[in-house]
Amino acid sequence: MKKIIVRADDLGYSEAVNYGIAKTVRQGIINNVSLMVNLPAANQGYQLFANSPCCLGLHVNISSGKPLSAAESIPTLVEGTVFKKSSVYNQAKTDVVAFEEAVQEVQKQLERFRELTGADPAYLDIHAVLSPNFIEAAKRIADQNGLPFFGIPSEKGMSINHQQIKLQIAAGENETELMQFFKTTVEDQDQTVPLLVYHPGFIDAVLIRNSSLVNKRVFETSFLTSKELIDYIQENDIHLLKLTDI
C-alpha cells in the first residue's frame, strides 16, 4: 500500500477559493486544509468545514490582507496598513523581516484561529514568503504550542513523529500535467511519504485583484475531483493520510 498526503492551501483567501476547496473535500481527495485567518473570507471558509472530518491547519500569512497586529508594531511586515506583497520579501537581497515582529503576528494568527474554530490547529504552515526569519518565527510558535510545523519544500524532507515527509508544491498547468505529476510522485515513492500541496479554488474579483495564482486553481479543482484520479487511487491501493495520522 502506498501512502500520500494531499493538502489544500489558502482557505479564507476569497469566497470563490473557499467554495473550490470545499468541492475538493466533498467530491475529491483533499482531507487536509490550511486556513488563512486574517482575511475577510476566513469565517465563511471555516463555516464550510465546521463539521468536516478533514484536518484543519493554520496557514500563517504575512503577505496578503491586513495584519492582526497593530501595523505600527510590525513595520518590517507592512506597507501602510496592509502586509507587503510576497515579492517584496522574496526579491530582497537580505531578510527584511524582523524576527520578533513575525513572532508577534504568528501568535496573533494562532489566537484568531482558536477564536474562530474553538480549537488548536492540527498543524502550522506558511504562505508564500520564504524569509528565514518568518519561517523560524512560525516554527517557534508551533514548537511552543506542541504543533507540527511544515515549512518550505526541501530535498532532504522533514521528520514528523519519526516519519520522513517530503513536501512538494504540485506541478502542472492543466489536468493532464497534474495527473502525470501525481502518478510520478506515487511511482517514485520510497519510505518517505510525499506531501503534495495544492491551491484549488474558483475565481472571483478578490482573487483576480490580489493573487498571481488564478487560472491554475480551477484546473487543480477539476483534477482533484476527477474520476480519473479517484479511480487511480482506488486501483493502486493508495492511502490518503491526514496530517493527524502522522
Side-chain angles (χ1 to χ4, degrees), residues 15-189:
E15 290 190 5
V17 169
N18 294 344
Y19 284 124
I21 294 174
K23 182 175 181 178
T24 67
V25 172
R26 294 169 182 168
Q27 301 177 33
I29 70 165
I30 291 295
N31 56 3
N32 301 281
V33 176
S34 297
L35 174 64
M36 306 170 78
V37 296
N38 71 303
L39 298 175
N43 184 60
Q44 184 258 355
Y46 171 66
Q47 292 305 320
L48 294 173
F49 293 86
N51 298 310
S52 170
C54 77
C55 180
L56 191 65
L58 172 59
H59 199 43
V60 181
N61 165 41
I62 60 166
S63 62
S64 184
K66 294 183 178 181
L68 298 181
S69 303
E72 60 270 19
S73 70
I74 51 169
T76 68
L77 307 184
V78 296
E79 292 178 345
T81 61
V82 299
F83 281 130
K84 295 175 179 177
K85 298 294 185 183
S86 58
S87 58
V88 174
Y89 301 108
N90 295 338
Q91 294 174 11
K93 294 181 179 180
T94 60
D95 192 346
V96 297
V97 173
F99 176 74
E100 292 301 333
E101 293 178 22
V103 167
Q104 174 183 315
E105 179 62 21
V106 174
Q107 180 63 39
K108 292 278 190 183
Q109 293 187 23
L110 175 58
E111 291 167 2
R112 176 63 60 85
F113 186 102
R114 289 166 170 162
E115 293 169 2
L116 196 61
T117 70
D120 275 342
Y123 60 88
L124 264 67
D125 65 62
I126 59 171
H127 176 72
V129 174
L130 305 180
S131 152
N133 281 344
F134 172 48
I135 295 168
E136 189 57 35
K139 185 177 186 302
R140 172 184 283 191
I141 296 300
D143 290 346
Q144 287 177 349
N145 289 273
L147 300 171
F149 174 69
F150 298 91
I152 59 175
S154 168
E155 281 301 316
K156 67 179 182 179
M158 65 190 78
S159 179
I160 304 291
N161 294 331
H162 308 294
Q163 172 63 62
Q164 280 297 119
I165 296 172
K166 184 177 181 181
L167 187 153
Q168 299 171 265
I169 305 299
E173 296 300 318
N174 54 50
E175 295 97 323
T176 300
E177 292 177 3
L178 288 161
M179 188 71 204
Q180 186 55 56
F181 177 81
F182 189 92
K183 287 181 175 179
T184 299
T185 301
V186 169
E187 291 163 4
D188 291 347
Q189 183 180 352

Side-chain angles (χ1 to χ4, degrees), residues 179-233:
M179 188 71 204
Q180 186 55 56
F181 177 81
F182 189 92
K183 287 181 175 179
T184 299
T185 301
V186 169
E187 291 163 4
D188 291 347
Q189 183 180 352
D190 49 24
Q191 296 303 308
T192 299
V193 175
L195 193 174
L196 300 184
V197 177
Y198 294 90
H199 297 84
F202 297 131
I203 298 172
D204 58 11
V206 173
L207 183 68
I208 293 170
R209 279 197 299 264
N210 295 287
S211 179
S212 59
L213 186 62
V214 179
N215 292 341
K216 186 180 176 183
R217 294 180 190 265
V218 178
F219 289 111
E220 289 195 356
T221 303
S222 176
F223 164 69
L224 291 165
T225 57
S226 67
K227 185 177 185 299
E228 180 184 8
L229 174 61
I230 293 169
D231 287 348
Y232 175 80
I233 287 170

